[in-house]
Amino acid sequence: MKSPSTARRQPHWIVRAHWVMRSVSFVNAFAFYALHLYGKGYAIWVWLLLALQFLVYPHLIYRRACRAENSQRAELQNLVADCFLVAIWVSATGFPLWITFTLLMSTAINNAISQGYRGIFLAFGAFGLGSLLGVGIGGFQLIPEDNPWITGLCVFGLSWYLLGIGRIAHTRALLLRTVREHLKQREHELRHANDTLQQQLAENLALQRSLHEQANRDALTGLFNRRYLIDTFERELARCSRAGQPLCLMLIDVDHFKQVNDGHGHQVGDLVLQELGQLLAREARQQDVACRFGGEEFVMLLPGLPESAAHERAEQWRRGFSDLGEARDDLPGALSLSIGVALFPAHGATPETLLRVADQALYKAKTGGRNQVVIHAPGEAATPQPAAG
């Protein structure tokens, strides 16, 4: 496995691409320059410099770029150096036409591909500086080249070079297309995974809401259960206390419910409880809390309801339940409710106190003949809890 430092020094792809192109094209340049210099009496050191320039130089700058911290930037510098160095040769040898054109265009094309218009300006600027230096070395002379072999090698070299660049461009385009298609595929997969995840999250949230509802709802009547009442009571008391509003608590019990079960069966008894639950839920306000407290007992929390309105609401439910028994053939005809009422803050300031007070009022309604509403009167002594029914 490669270390992070090794991975960081991996050269940019243009370094190797230019090395291959430069190695082959500079061998071609060495060939046509050797033909140009042959037989003109140049010293041996000129031939050594020619070999160094066109046969050794491409590999030296390749190693330099590979070892650079930023290999791409180093290679862009190499391209400008190419323009400068070949310009020295063409100016020192009298600007032979096809050689000058071939070397200028090939090096300028490299810079243009790599840096756009900026590369073109850099290429021509470096070529101009190299030409001035070459003129300073060999003096200014203009020797058009008419050797057909040199012309042929220049045409061949430039043509090959352009075709090579075209092949590289085609290869990069295919690679980019493959990468783009892969990215599109990955994007599609990520979108699908995201959609699946969102669906799973929605299902989980729905399941959580369902479980929360099940944990706080009575399965038979659909009303809130005793657990929810305990969790909600103190919160409603605190809210009414801050708002300076009363809070009414009603404890509702079905009269003679044991006789309903014994005489008509538990299925009818369950139906009675369901119908009472629907009656309370149907006629409750949005802010009211309707709960099944246990067995045949129900609790109503009515925020903001004063004593006079509380008595009227309780009587409305009591009469409605009695009318329901008379109107339905599938229910026992004699249905009635006993209701005990307590109010905050008149009768207590805690859930425990209000429940105890409402239970005392319910007991009074039971012992007083049932089928009635009793509102707790302050100062009454506590009474024992009656038996159910």
Side-chain angles (χ1 to χ4, degrees):
M1 183 175 180
K2 293 183 178 180
S3 65
S5 60
T6 303
R8 193 165 54 245
R9 288 181 176 274
Q10 191 70 21
H12 194 274
W13 69 268
I14 68 169
V15 175
R16 179 170 179 81
H18 286 164
W19 172 62
V20 172
M21 297 290 292
R22 188 184 285 113
S23 298
V24 178
S25 61
F26 272 36
V27 169
N28 184 77
F30 177 82
F32 59 63
Y33 242 117
L35 283 175
H36 177 72
L37 298 181
Y38 181 75
K40 295 184 179 179
Y42 284 98
I44 187 65
W45 62 267
V46 175
W47 289 94
L48 291 175
L49 286 177
L50 184 70
L52 179 65
Q53 170 68 65
F54 292 105
L55 300 181
V56 180
Y57 164 80
H59 308 290
L60 293 178
I61 60 171
Y62 170 68
R63 290 178 62 85
R64 169 186 175 272
C66 289
R67 295 188 177 190
E69 188 68 25
N70 188 330
S71 60
Q72 182 181 15
R73 182 170 59 191
E75 181 59 26
L76 296 179
Q77 295 169 354
N78 290 343
L79 295 178
V80 177
D82 290 346
C83 300
F84 177 77
L85 293 175
V86 298
I88 296 175
W89 281 96
V90 298
S91 60
T93 55
F95 295 99
L97 181 60
W98 271 104
I99 293 178
T100 303
F101 177 75
T102 300
L103 293 178
L104 172 61
M105 293 309 298
S106 59
T107 53
I109 287 171
N110 272 339
N111 282 274
I113 291 174
S114 301
Q115 301 187 72
Y117 283 116
R118 181 175 182 272
I120 296 174
F121 295 140
L122 287 174
F124 279 94
F127 201 90
L129 290 176
S131 298
L132 291 176
L133 180 59
V135 169
I137 294 173
F140 179 77
Q141 52 183 332
L142 189 60
I143 308 174
E145 179 59 60
D146 58 359
N147 187 318
W149 286 102
I150 295 176
T151 301
L153 283 174
C154 289
V155 171
F156 170 78
L158 186 58
S159 300
W160 176 90
Y161 197 76
L162 293 175
L163 292 174
I165 290 176
R167 180 185 175 280
I168 292 175
H170 175 70
T171 302
R172 298 302 299 179
L174 290 178
L175 178 61
L176 290 175
R177 183 185 302 172
T178 302
V179 171
R180 186 164 56 246
E181 291 175 354
H182 177 71
L183 290 176
K184 285 183 178 180
Q185 179 65 25
R186 292 294 298 160
E187 181 182 7
H188 176 74
E189 293 174 358
L190 288 174
R191 285 181 178 177
H192 178 70
N194 182 65
D195 292 342
T196 302
L197 180 60
Q198 292 297 327
Q199 182 179 355
Q200 291 176 348
L201 288 175
E203 291 174 356
N204 289 341
L205 288 175
L207 179 60
Q208 289 178 4
R209 285 194 293 267
S210 176
L211 293 174
H212 185 267
E213 283 291 307
Q214 292 176 19
N216 293 297
R217 292 281 181 179
D218 174 61
L220 180 64
T221 64
L223 300 182
F224 291 113
N225 56 23
R226 186 182 190 127
R227 173 183 174 180
Y228 183 83
L229 175 68
I230 294 172
D231 293 341
T232 305
F233 207 155
E234 286 196 16
R235 184 170 66 247
E236 289 297 324
L237 275 175
R239 189 172 62 83
C240 289
S241 178
R242 289 193 302 269
Q245 295 179 338
L247 175 66
C248 175
L249 170 68
M250 295 185 186
L251 195 57
I252 304 170
D253 186 89
V254 180
D255 295 330
H256 303 295
F257 185 70
K258 186 176 184 302
Q259 297 177 15
V260 173
N261 276 335
D262 293 343
H264 300 275
H266 287 281
Q267 187 173 0
V268 174
D270 289 346
L271 181 60
V272 168
L273 296 178
Q274 288 174 339
E275 292 297 332
L276 176 57
Q278 292 178 15
L279 174 67
L280 296 176
R282 184 170 58 249
E283 298 186 6
R285 302 170 303 172
Q286 184 177 5
Q287 65 268 36
D288 296 340
V289 180
C291 302
R292 184 185 178 191
F293 201 56
E296 70 273 18
E297 284 190 337
F298 293 76
V299 169
M300 292 293 298
L301 283 181
L302 302 105
L305 203 68
E307 182 174 334
S308 58
H311 188 273
E312 181 180 346
R313 292 291 301 280
E315 283 290 343
Q316 178 182 348
W317 281 319
R318 185 190 65 80
R319 290 192 300 269
F321 189 64
S322 296
D323 294 342
L324 188 64
E326 296 176 1
R328 295 273 296 272
D329 294 335
D330 55 344
L331 296 175
L335 291 178
S336 64
L337 297 175
S338 294
I339 303 176
V341 181
L343 292 112
F344 165 82
H347 304 152
T350 66
E352 294 79 9
T353 302
L354 291 172
L355 280 169
R356 184 175 68 252
V357 167
D359 190 59
Q360 292 173 7
L362 176 62
Y363 177 74
K364 186 175 181 180
K366 289 284 189 181
T367 57
R370 294 181 172 84
N371 195 24
Q372 60 181 301
V373 177
V374 174
I375 297 179
H376 174 74
E380 289 184 344
T383 53
Q385 183 176 356

